[in-house]
């Protein structure tokens, strides 16, 4: 039996219909919602991580491409977790292969948890010292998840105290219509503030009248009560 079949068998044994129903609601799978059509098996994240750890050296890119094309969310999540492990545990050549594969198969990274799991860990490291034009292209995409990938990738830069791309992309996304982008922008601004509050405050003051309310609330979450009140007034 192939490694892919073994992986699928292991995951199928972990199906949890009750949890699947909850997840389908949580990830907005109803008609017209951002996760419309997504199917859940209800497998807990720690369980999927264990399976990913077991198989990441055995599963090849063709198998990962197959998994990322599946409608079952749990299969795409496990594939994303495997890609992260392959990147983190691989040599320089393997990291290049993973990053290029990831960019070519973003269609399967199509919910916020998949983006948040993988984009900072893979692209956030891979692109740190490279040309970042691809991120600005993704930030202009009509696809919600590609825009979130652009924003979340910068988390990898932020952790290394490089804020310029995060701030530029955040500024470019302030006019975005989707709440999930507002949350991503606010989250990354908050992460900048944890490392350099002055940089975050300058951005918030500059865009006080433009930043969406949700993004602002996320960004100032760690501020004092008086500071939060002051920014919300603006």
């Amino acid at each position: 039996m192939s490694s892919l079949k073994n992986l699928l068998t292991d995951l199928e044994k972990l199906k949890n219909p009750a949890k699947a129903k909850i997840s389908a609601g949580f990830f907005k799978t109803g008609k017209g919602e951002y996760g419309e059509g997504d199917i859940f098996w209800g497998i807990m994240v720690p369980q999927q991580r264990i399976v990913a750890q077991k198989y990441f050296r055995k599963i090849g890119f063709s198998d990962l491409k197959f998994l990322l094309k599946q409608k079952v969310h749990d299969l795409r999540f496990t594939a994303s977790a495997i890609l992260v492990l392959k990147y983190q545990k691989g040599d320089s050549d393997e990291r290049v292969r993973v990053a290029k594969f990831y960019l070519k198969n973003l269609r399967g990274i199509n919910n916020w948890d998949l983006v948040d799991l993988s984009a900072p860990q893979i692209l956030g490291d891979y692109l740190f010292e490279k040309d970042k034009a691809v991120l600005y292209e993704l930030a202009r995409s009509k696809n919600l998840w590609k825009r979130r990938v652009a924003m979340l990738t910068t988390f990898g830069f932020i952790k290394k105290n490089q804020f310029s791309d995060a701030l530029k992309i955040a500024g470019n996304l302030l006019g975005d219509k989707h709440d999930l982008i507002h949350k991503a922008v606010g989250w990354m601004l908050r992460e900048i503030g944890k490392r350099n509050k002055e940089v975050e405050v300058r951005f918030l003051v500059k865009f006080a009248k433009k930043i969406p309310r949700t993004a602002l609330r996320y960004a100032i979450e760690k501020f004092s009560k008086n500071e939060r009140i002051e920014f919300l007034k603006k």
Side-chain angles (χ1 to χ4, degrees), residues 86-98:
K86 278 184 174 292
Y87 186 88
Q88 292 176 333
K89 305 292 186 181
D91 59 20
S92 57
D93 289 340
E94 179 76 345
R95 291 196 291 273
V96 170
R97 286 193 290 270
V98 171

Side-chain angles (χ1 to χ4, degrees), residues 5-230:
K5 288 183 178 179
N6 286 330
L7 178 147
L8 291 171
T9 298
D10 284 359
L11 289 175
E12 285 173 351
K13 290 177 181 177
L14 297 170
K15 285 182 178 180
N16 185 330
K19 174 67 175 174
K21 187 175 182 180
I22 294 170
S23 295
F26 182 72
F27 285 96
K28 309 295 183 184
T29 60
K31 187 173 178 59
E33 295 182 309
Y34 65 73
E36 181 178 355
D38 222 349
I39 297 169
F40 283 84
W41 282 358
I43 305 172
M44 302 293 286
V45 167
Q47 293 175 312
Q48 293 181 74
R49 288 187 180 276
I50 289 171
V51 173
Q53 184 72 45
K54 178 179 177 181
Y55 287 99
F56 82 92
R57 295 191 190 279
K58 304 172 185 177
I59 294 293
F61 289 108
S62 60
D63 292 336
L64 287 167
K65 189 171 185 177
F66 169 82
L67 291 170
L68 287 174
K69 287 183 176 180
Q70 302 310 300
K71 290 185 177 180
V72 177
H73 188 100
D74 313 63
L75 298 183
R76 301 197 313 281
F77 186 97
T78 301
S80 301
I82 287 173
L83 280 169
V84 170
L85 287 169
K86 278 184 174 292
Y87 186 88
Q88 292 176 333
K89 305 292 186 181
D91 59 20
S92 57
D93 289 340
E94 179 76 345
R95 291 196 291 273
V96 170
R97 286 193 290 270
V98 171
K100 288 184 175 180
F101 173 89
Y102 185 80
L103 284 168
K104 287 181 180 178
N105 292 275
L106 282 178
R107 185 185 294 263
I109 310 296
N110 56 358
N111 215 312
W112 59 263
D113 60 328
L114 307 182
V115 173
D116 300 0
L117 164 69
S118 58
Q121 301 291 346
I122 298 174
L123 297 184
D125 181 81
Y126 178 70
L127 293 174
F128 181 63
E129 294 182 336
K130 293 181 176 62
D131 180 75
K132 298 173 179 63
V134 65
L135 288 188
Y136 293 88
E137 182 180 339
L138 291 173
R140 294 191 296 270
S141 173
K142 292 181 180 180
N143 182 281
L144 164 64
W145 308 118
K146 288 184 178 180
R147 300 198 304 278
R148 189 167 173 109
V149 165
M151 191 72 256
L152 263 293
T153 292
T154 67
F155 197 3
F157 311 156
I158 292 168
K159 289 176 181 178
K160 297 175 183 176
N161 293 308
Q162 194 271 71
F163 309 137
S164 59
D165 290 292
L167 293 169
K168 288 175 185 175
I169 290 173
N172 292 344
L173 291 173
L174 289 181
D176 202 282
K177 302 299 183 184
H178 206 288
D179 187 60
L180 286 173
I181 300 300
H182 300 169
K183 291 177 179 178
V185 168
W187 176 16
M188 292 303 100
L189 292 174
R190 185 175 73 231
E191 291 297 331
I192 290 172
K194 287 180 183 179
R195 295 157 177 85
N196 191 322
K197 187 174 180 180
E198 183 181 343
V199 170
E200 181 190 5
V201 169
R202 280 204 303 267
F203 182 93
L204 295 177
V205 170
K206 180 178 179 180
F207 294 104
K209 295 182 179 180
K210 188 176 179 181
I211 188 168
R213 194 77 164 180
T214 297
L216 179 59
R217 287 188 178 278
Y218 268 63
I220 63 176
E221 189 178 83
K222 301 298 182 181
F223 286 16
S224 70
K225 182 178 180 181
N226 288 338
E227 286 175 318
R228 293 198 304 272
I229 290 172
E230 198 60 36

